[in-house]
Amino acid sequence: MSELVTGEAVALELRPARLPSRALAVLLDLVVAVAVYVAVTIAVMVSAASLDEAAQLALSIATFVLVLVGGPVAVETLSHGRSLGKLACGLRVVRDDGGPIRFRHALVRGLIGVIEILLTFGVVACVASLVSARGRRLGDVFAGTLVVRERVPVARTGFVPPPPPWLAGRFSGLDLSGVPDGLWLAVRQYLTRMQQLDPQVGWAMAERLAADLADRTGAPVPQDVPPPVYLAAVVQERQAREARRAFGGGAGAGAAGGASGVPGAYGPPVRPATRPASPMTPGTAPAGRRDGAAASGHGSAVPREAQEAQGGQEVQGAERPATRFVPPA
């Protein structure tokens, strides 16, 4: 991948085209251009047979320039860097900042291409493409262009393993604003591919990434948490914050509820124990009955007859059906 910085200071990751694919695209373009040139030359010679040799020579030179130079320039300008051969090979010519090319870029590439491709049979273009780090020929260097691949195979996104449940919400207080996107990408790539790495190499990489992440957040890595688990927990915390920012506070309710059950530093969540009900002994009244008796026997200002009347009304109310209508007193 090659990073191209746009005018808005945005880094674009593009894959430059290498020599084999570019050579195949140029070969297809040359076959089409030569076929058109031969057809046009025959038509011009037949129509200009009555002219003298000087006029025929001028027409042949004009046909060469228009077909083999002007044709590719016009095609690349109108198609924004996609000629027939590049379209077949999945390539495209772009500027150094990733934007589409214009007429001046295509003109410089076409004029220099006559020298390094047609007159030298592509030897100069091949040498320049092999020497360049991004596979550019001389026409690309002078025009400020780059040939990139448009059809890049889509890589399968790996699965990021979640952290253990007992770490849920542990790192909710970390300041993740100072972590750059490149470090997040490196951590995610490590978590998706750590099963494919050598154990020693993977552990060293996890320690290095955890140290970098701790330096950016300002909090040290806990001693009893392995570096891969720490990375997974911090990544999950970042995803939870992004979800809360995108969908509101409801998205973090589950994480907050899960974190409330963590009692200690990194121990498993423990639910509060419930008090077992003690069996009733003979001669002991239930708690509700004892409370009622105590409330009625100590300091009660209600007469006994009123209590009996009130008890009778409660029994009658219990026997009535539960409706919204209250009968008159």
Side-chain angles (χ1 to χ4, degrees):
M1 305 297 288
S2 176
E3 287 192 357
L4 303 180
V5 181
T6 65
E8 293 79 11
V10 178
L12 302 177
E13 293 184 353
L14 300 176
R15 178 172 295 182
R18 295 304 177 184
L19 181 59
S21 58
R22 294 194 60 177
L24 181 59
V26 171
L27 182 60
L28 293 176
D29 291 336
L30 285 179
V31 169
V32 175
V34 169
V36 174
Y37 173 72
V38 171
V40 173
T41 302
I42 294 175
V44 169
M45 290 304 174
V46 170
S47 61
S50 59
L51 300 177
D52 55 358
E53 294 182 358
Q56 292 181 359
L57 180 60
L59 287 177
S60 62
I61 295 176
T63 303
F64 176 83
V65 172
L66 290 177
V67 175
L68 296 182
V69 178
V73 171
V75 170
E76 286 190 354
T77 303
L78 296 177
S79 63
H80 300 289
R82 298 185 186 92
S83 62
L84 183 61
K86 293 181 177 62
L87 186 62
C89 296
L91 307 180
R92 182 182 180 182
V93 183
V94 297
R95 300 196 305 259
D96 282 340
D97 58 354
I101 64 173
R102 298 181 179 180
F103 173 74
R104 60 185 180 88
H105 304 96
L107 181 60
V108 173
R109 295 185 77 255
L111 293 178
I112 300 180
V114 174
I115 301 175
E116 63 175 344
I117 295 179
L118 296 180
L119 299 183
T120 61
F121 300 99
V123 176
V124 176
C126 291
V127 173
S129 181
L130 291 175
V131 172
S132 176
R134 296 190 290 181
R136 302 200 300 175
R137 61 180 179 88
L138 294 180
D140 296 320
V141 175
F142 285 99
T145 58
L146 175 67
V147 181
V148 298
R149 298 187 63 88
E150 282 191 319
R151 293 197 295 264
V152 180
V154 180
R156 297 175 57 185
T157 58
F159 173 72
V160 179
W166 50 272
L167 277 179
R170 177 63 185 176
F171 302 102
S172 59
L174 289 181
D175 183 13
L176 305 180
S177 59
V179 182
D181 294 338
L183 183 56
W184 286 123
L185 180 60
V187 172
R188 182 177 179 85
Q189 289 179 350
Y190 165 76
L191 292 176
T192 55
R193 301 176 183 176
M194 64 180 181
Q195 301 296 335
Q196 305 173 2
L197 301 175
D198 182 76
Q200 296 181 355
V201 175
W203 188 267
M205 186 179 299
E207 289 181 344
R208 185 169 63 253
L209 291 175
D212 295 342
L213 194 59
D215 292 339
R216 297 288 184 173
T217 57
V221 182
Q223 296 293 333
D224 52 351
V225 178
V229 178
Y230 169 77
L231 296 176
V234 176
V235 168
Q236 188 188 46
E237 176 62 29
R238 179 176 182 262
Q239 293 176 353
R241 294 184 184 182
E242 293 294 336
R244 287 194 296 268
R245 187 180 297 111
F247 303 104
S260 62
V262 182
Y266 294 101
V270 179
R271 297 182 179 179
T274 59
R275 180 180 300 177
S278 58
M280 295 178 58
T281 57
T284 304
R289 188 173 299 176
R290 289 200 304 270
D291 295 341
S296 60
H298 298 280
S300 178
V302 182
R304 185 173 183 180
E305 291 81 6
Q307 292 180 3
E308 291 177 358
Q310 184 179 2
Q313 291 180 3
E314 291 178 357
V315 172
Q316 292 178 4
E319 294 176 356
R320 292 196 305 267
T323 61
R324 297 179 179 270
F325 300 98
V326 180

